[in-house]
Amino acid sequence: MKKIINPWLHKEGYDCFGCAPENPLGLKMDFFEDGNEIISFWRPQAHYQGWVGMLHGGILATLLDETAGWVISRKLQTTGVTSHLEVNYHRPVKADDSQITVRARIKEQKRNLVFITCSLENSEGETCVEAVLKDGVLTISFTKVKQEQAKKIAIQ
């Protein structure tokens, strides 16, 4: 497993809610590459809770979405925007859990659509959240941006 160095760390205006380490309200996610997977280990905090003692479902969806975005960035060397995200919540995640693990990988590509499987596990290794079930595969779909467009976005 290899830690991914965040390429936007010193870019002016970079303040991503998911991965910017200096965003005081953000999730401050780090990412690792392990074969075909991008993995994030994240420690929940009480101020991200919805119901008492449980993480907010929107935060859980954000963790999946952000990790899927890093799959596009790392594995396809471009960027994309989420075009479909449907989340299946199997069990709540405690706001005081010691660590959760988010895993994502490319399942399939169709022209400019990329289907990504994602799951989120609690510290006990139980799968708590997954992305939408489509054709028997858990997926988040992204619309891939052409590399020329991605370069223009990165320069701005």
Side-chain angles (χ1 to χ4, degrees):
M1 187 174 314
K2 179 181 176 186
K3 183 170 175 38
I4 299 171
I5 304 302
N6 187 330
W8 299 286
L9 283 179
H10 304 293
K11 181 165 177 46
E12 185 177 336
Y14 169 62
D15 199 31
C16 177
F17 178 73
C19 64
E22 302 301 321
N23 183 330
L25 303 175
L27 302 176
K28 300 175 177 52
M29 295 174 73
D30 287 318
F31 299 92
F32 298 83
E33 191 168 20
D34 189 17
N36 292 332
E37 287 189 320
I38 300 298
I39 300 171
S40 182
F41 303 102
W42 187 75
R43 184 174 179 144
Q45 297 173 20
H47 60 268
Y48 293 123
Q49 69 182 322
W51 183 244
V52 177
M54 300 298 159
L55 285 177
H56 191 283
I59 295 297
L60 298 171
T62 301
L63 292 164
L64 292 168
D65 185 57
E66 183 70 15
T67 306
W70 277 76
V71 169
I72 298 293
S73 177
R74 186 65 177 192
K75 298 299 185 180
L76 300 179
Q77 298 295 304
T78 189
T79 189
V81 293
T82 305
S83 57
H84 180 85
L85 170 61
E86 185 175 328
V87 179
N88 294 316
Y89 299 93
H90 302 297
R91 59 177 43 95
V93 180
K94 295 179 182 177
D96 65 353
D97 201 343
S98 61
Q99 176 178 280
I100 62 173
T101 303
V102 185
R103 299 175 185 279
R105 66 177 177 81
I106 294 172
K107 164 57 173 108
E108 177 182 9
Q109 293 186 66
K110 291 182 181 178
R111 296 175 50 178
N112 68 329
L113 289 178
V114 181
F115 298 90
I116 299 172
T117 64
C118 293
S119 65
L120 185 147
E121 302 168 356
N122 62 18
S123 61
E124 304 295 318
E126 300 169 313
T127 299
C128 299
V129 185
E130 296 176 302
V132 67
L133 185 62
K134 183 174 183 179
D135 297 328
V137 179
L138 303 165
T139 65
I140 292 177
S141 60
F142 270 74
T143 301
K144 185 172 75 170
V145 175
K146 292 181 181 176
Q147 285 187 338
E148 301 82 43
Q149 292 172 310
K151 288 177 185 174
K152 288 179 187 175
I153 292 168
I155 292 171
Q156 294 177 357

